[in-house]
Amino acid sequence: MKIWLVPLLLSLSACSDYNGDKALDKYQSRLANVLELQRANGSLTAPEALIPERDLKQALPDVRFNLTDAYASRRCGLDTLIGERNSSLGIVYTASKQLSYELRLLQKLEHCLTLSWDDSSLLNQLLQVYEQKQASVSIAFNNMLFTDNTLRKELLGIRKALPLKAAPGFTETWQALTELTLLQQFINEKNWQAASKVDIEQQLQLLYQYNFLARLQYSLRLTAHQLVQLNSLTQNQNSNTLCPNGRDSEQLRILANVFQKYFIGEIQLYSTELSRYQQQLWPLLQQLYQQTPLEQPLQQRFEYSYNSMRNELSQHVKWWQTLNGQCPLQLNGQK
């Protein structure tokens, strides 16, 4: 006679290192043991590669000032910015710092052009530089989006899944992306006053601190992959093999326990959290990278992985629903 045993383990959901991938792995192990099946194997497929930074970065046009009148440059604060750009730190600006400089320069030039000037040649020079900088600021913005180290890391992803619930950094990541999309809007509107006030480095620091986007995309991809394995495991398990003639068994009672404790208690909770993160963060990320060379690989990492996860989860729920309708499982909590 077979004796079915399910260890009574303390819930680890509150542990900070108990991430969703571990919950899915444990659930698959429990299900395979009860069904007396071999676990499905197969490694996670790598996502589509991102275009290298060197192929995305564009050189900014070389715009030179010829402000021989020191008083004129001091009059509207241009001397400070020009000095900053020509300093030892300024000549090695990162893409984000370069963008910040370009925006502050445009704001200063806009202010300068509102003043009255006796020297028309100087005024014409300021106007020419202003127009050139307006035309090229989109290059500076794209250089930040495509080549900034923090953003690249978030887009590439890291092999670390998010926790089951209340993942730290979600609010901060939403805030950072919202500020960057606002910056994009200000640039499109040529609102240099508002654009120059956005603290780009602060938003990048928030993204760097939590790595939330990098972990989210990995979690979506891995969850979809693990659910495919689960569905492969259960596809041939039905009422004919588990409850012939509607007969009750110890195996069915243990299956009901696995469903309630692991699927409802952890897997469904985790997928709900991932859906919440995806639905609020992806539109912001999509807005930033739409109609760019990185739009398609990001769609694969986020949108495609999310849809795949939802489809596989729906298929798995239907398996439980069908089994519950045909066998005396008496499951609670189905959705």
Side-chain angles (χ1 to χ4, degrees):
M1 181 178 69
K2 296 179 181 178
I3 299 177
W4 301 90
L5 298 176
V6 175
L8 296 177
L9 301 177
L10 293 176
S11 174
L12 299 176
S13 299
C15 297
S16 60
D17 62 344
Y18 188 58
N19 295 335
D21 57 335
K22 295 181 181 179
L24 280 154
D25 185 70
K26 183 173 66 175
Y27 172 58
Q28 186 176 169
S29 293
R30 296 294 187 274
L31 205 54
N33 288 340
V34 176
L35 297 174
E36 295 186 299
L37 296 173
Q38 190 72 28
R39 285 189 52 170
N41 292 318
S43 57
L44 178 64
T45 304
E48 180 182 346
L50 295 183
I51 301 173
E53 298 172 54
R54 63 179 180 275
D55 295 334
L56 290 170
K57 187 174 183 179
Q58 298 183 59
L60 283 167
D62 187 15
V63 179
R64 296 183 178 273
F65 288 92
N66 184 28
L67 298 179
T68 55
D69 189 337
Y71 168 75
S73 64
R74 287 196 302 270
R75 183 183 176 195
C76 55
L78 283 174
D79 59 326
T80 303
L81 274 177
I82 295 171
E84 176 186 321
R85 183 67 180 91
N86 293 326
S87 68
S88 58
L89 292 177
I91 59 176
V92 291
Y93 270 160
T94 61
S96 59
K97 290 185 181 296
Q98 178 69 51
L99 174 60
S100 176
Y101 168 79
E102 297 292 322
L103 294 172
R104 287 182 290 127
L105 181 60
L106 278 165
Q107 187 273 325
K108 286 293 184 184
L109 285 166
E110 188 173 59
H111 169 65
C112 290
L113 291 170
T114 64
L115 304 178
S116 59
W117 297 89
D118 295 331
D119 188 342
S120 59
S121 63
L122 178 57
L123 178 61
N124 289 334
Q125 184 188 165
L126 289 173
L127 181 59
Q128 183 180 11
V129 171
Y130 179 65
E131 291 173 346
Q132 289 173 318
K133 287 296 182 181
Q134 282 194 115
S136 65
V137 70
S138 60
I139 296 177
F141 182 74
N142 285 337
N143 282 344
M144 181 203 68
L145 284 183
F146 301 156
T147 70
D148 176 79
N149 289 336
T150 293
L151 288 174
R152 288 288 295 192
K153 184 177 180 180
E154 294 299 288
L155 304 185
L156 287 167
I158 57 175
R159 296 181 66 85
K160 185 177 181 182
L162 291 167
L164 282 184
K165 60 180 179 179
F170 167 67
T171 300
E172 292 82 358
T173 301
W174 180 88
Q175 173 190 321
L177 291 179
T178 298
E179 284 295 307
L180 291 178
T181 56
L182 280 174
L183 174 61
Q184 184 181 51
Q185 177 184 325
F186 293 148
I187 291 173
N188 290 337
E189 295 171 350
K190 298 184 178 181
N191 186 345
W192 311 125
Q193 177 69 27
S196 65
K197 300 302 180 185
V198 175
D199 191 335
I200 301 171
E201 298 304 314
Q202 182 184 56
Q203 313 318 318
L204 295 177
Q205 177 59 35
L206 287 174
L207 296 176
Y208 172 81
Q209 181 178 349
Y210 293 101
N211 291 142
F212 197 94
L213 286 172
R215 297 180 69 182
L216 174 59
Q217 63 160 295
Y218 176 70
S219 300
L220 291 169
R221 290 175 49 236
L222 185 59
T223 301
H225 170 72
Q226 290 176 306
L227 285 169
V228 167
Q229 292 183 320
L230 278 166
N231 289 332
S232 174
L233 184 72
T234 60
Q235 64 182 350
N236 295 322
Q237 300 300 302
N238 52 48
S239 59
N240 294 330
T241 57
L242 296 174
C243 65
N245 301 318
R247 188 174 66 246
D248 193 9
S249 68
E250 183 69 13
Q251 182 184 24
L252 288 178
R253 288 190 286 275
I254 297 174
L255 269 177
N257 181 281
V258 169
F259 172 83
Q260 200 66 44
K261 183 174 181 179
Y262 298 106
F263 182 73
I264 295 298
E266 296 183 345
I267 307 309
Q268 202 164 67
L269 169 66
Y270 185 53
S271 63
T272 299
E273 287 292 272
L274 291 182
S275 295
R276 181 169 67 91
Y277 303 146
Q278 166 73 9
Q279 290 166 5
Q280 295 193 51
L281 297 180
W282 170 243
L284 296 171
L285 196 61
Q286 187 178 36
Q287 181 177 329
L288 284 171
Y289 287 94
Q290 64 185 339
Q291 298 180 342
T292 73
L294 295 183
E295 182 178 20
Q296 181 177 332
L298 290 182
Q299 282 180 331
Q300 184 200 47
R301 282 167 160 79
F302 289 92
E303 191 169 33
Y304 175 81
S305 296
Y306 170 70
N307 289 334
S308 177
M309 180 194 78
R310 297 299 300 168
N311 290 336
E312 295 297 331
L313 183 66
S314 177
Q315 182 179 333
H316 194 65
V317 169
K318 287 178 182 176
W319 178 80
W320 278 111
Q321 289 173 334
T322 300
L323 193 63
N324 187 48
Q326 297 173 347
C327 295
L329 277 174
Q330 297 180 341
L331 300 181
N332 296 315
Q334 291 192 79
K335 294 184 179 179

